[in-house]
Amino acid sequence: MKFETKAIWVGQAADLTTGATIVPIYQTSTFAQEEVNKNKGYEYSRVGNPTRTALDSCLASLEEGNYGLSFSSGLAAEHSVLSLLRPGDHVIVPEDMYGGTYRLIKEILEPLNINFTFTDFTDLNAVRNAFLPSTKLIWIETPTNPLLKIFDIEAISKLCLERSTLVVVDNTFATPYFQKPLLLGADIVVHSTTKYINGHSDVIGGAVIMNNKELFDKIHLIQKSVGAVPSPFDSWLTLRGVKTLAVRMRQHEANSFQVARFLEKQPNVLKVFYPGLKTHQGYEIAEKQMTGFGGIVSFQIRGGLAECNIFFKKLKIFQLAESLGGVESLANYSALMTHGAFPPELRQKIGVSENLIRLSVGIEHIDDLLSDLENALNR
Ligand SMILES: Cc1ncc(COP(=O)(O)O)c(C=O)c1O
């Protein structure tokens, strides 16, 4: 079955009792049992719920994985994966990542004596040199938020295979439509389904997908013990959203290419970051490991915070907001919004500068988007 068909049908066969073509919202906390330890596969909705099962199966199939688990947020999904670690374990992470992941590491995990080395994943030697005997896991996000840096999933997975280290890829930006990390050697994929997978900016959610049954059992145990599960309604909304992932991603990408090329020509724009541009740092790896370049374009405006604010105020269609990946276009000031948790020196080092603007290019008509940007950039 092809991607578009799986998004609509996997886990979503017509309801056996009523014939409903759409998976029902099983808004129930518990399930009647026939006798002790005999039930229809469900006992309590923290452990499992049929609407959530439909979403879990669909997401697993889109990522070409055997098992999927949906969560109440992307960070809850990340936290469950990182709860596999024990005090004294060591993890290698990129310097460049979503600010919330950085906060999770700094505020929650490092105080538990889990050790992290931040390194530049565009340099494989730097990654090689960061390994310690206690290294248990490598965490990458590619393309990264907000600079769209690209890391070579296959090469990193090979390094880890030699050392039995788990590779986790946050695939939120690319989505399984454009990138399938499990096929490139990763062990676990995580998502903020809040973003493209749901795609309509009306749900906070997350997911973890993997092939290994032992890993699945461990993460499911963490999920049921900690309880970070999505509601049946949120699972249903996400399932409705994911049905159109392929068509949305194609349009996000087509619009993003035009936005990136347009921005490159603007006198008030200093630099444009989009993995589909041949000038981009990771263009060649992106072309090798992705089937499309996604819907996020970042750029440096001529000026600083004041000029960014003028730009944001003049926008009429793009909204200044956190988040990304919805059908509507958004603009973000990464230094003080998504990356506010980073210390200023680290922000400076990785390039989240005071003049950096991240655009989540929506699927509105491209003419309207370009004229909105043109008007806002014009001083
Ligand atoms: C790449 C990436 N991963 C994870 C998250 C966290 O997801 P959530 O906000 O659903 O907890 C985000 C949120 O912006 C993100 O951009």
Side-chain angles (χ1 to χ4, degrees), residues 73-75 78 98 141 145 170 172-173 192 194-195 204-205 324:
S73 72
L75 276 170
E78 294 188 12
Y98 167 58
E141 187 185 301
N145 183 0
D170 182 335
T172 299
F173 269 40
S192 167
T194 311
K195 311 295 178 336
I204 298 286
L324 57 103

Side-chain angles (χ1 to χ4, degrees), residues 159-196:
L159 284 184
C160 291
L161 197 61
E162 293 158 15
R163 297 165 172 85
S164 307
T165 304
L166 288 178
V167 180
V168 183
V169 178
D170 182 335
N171 202 26
T172 299
F173 269 40
T175 84
Y177 184 65
F178 284 144
Q179 177 170 274
K180 297 192 178 60
L182 297 180
L183 296 184
L184 297 166
D187 300 287
I188 298 177
V189 169
V190 298
H191 276 284
S192 167
T193 55
T194 311
K195 311 295 178 336
Y196 290 106

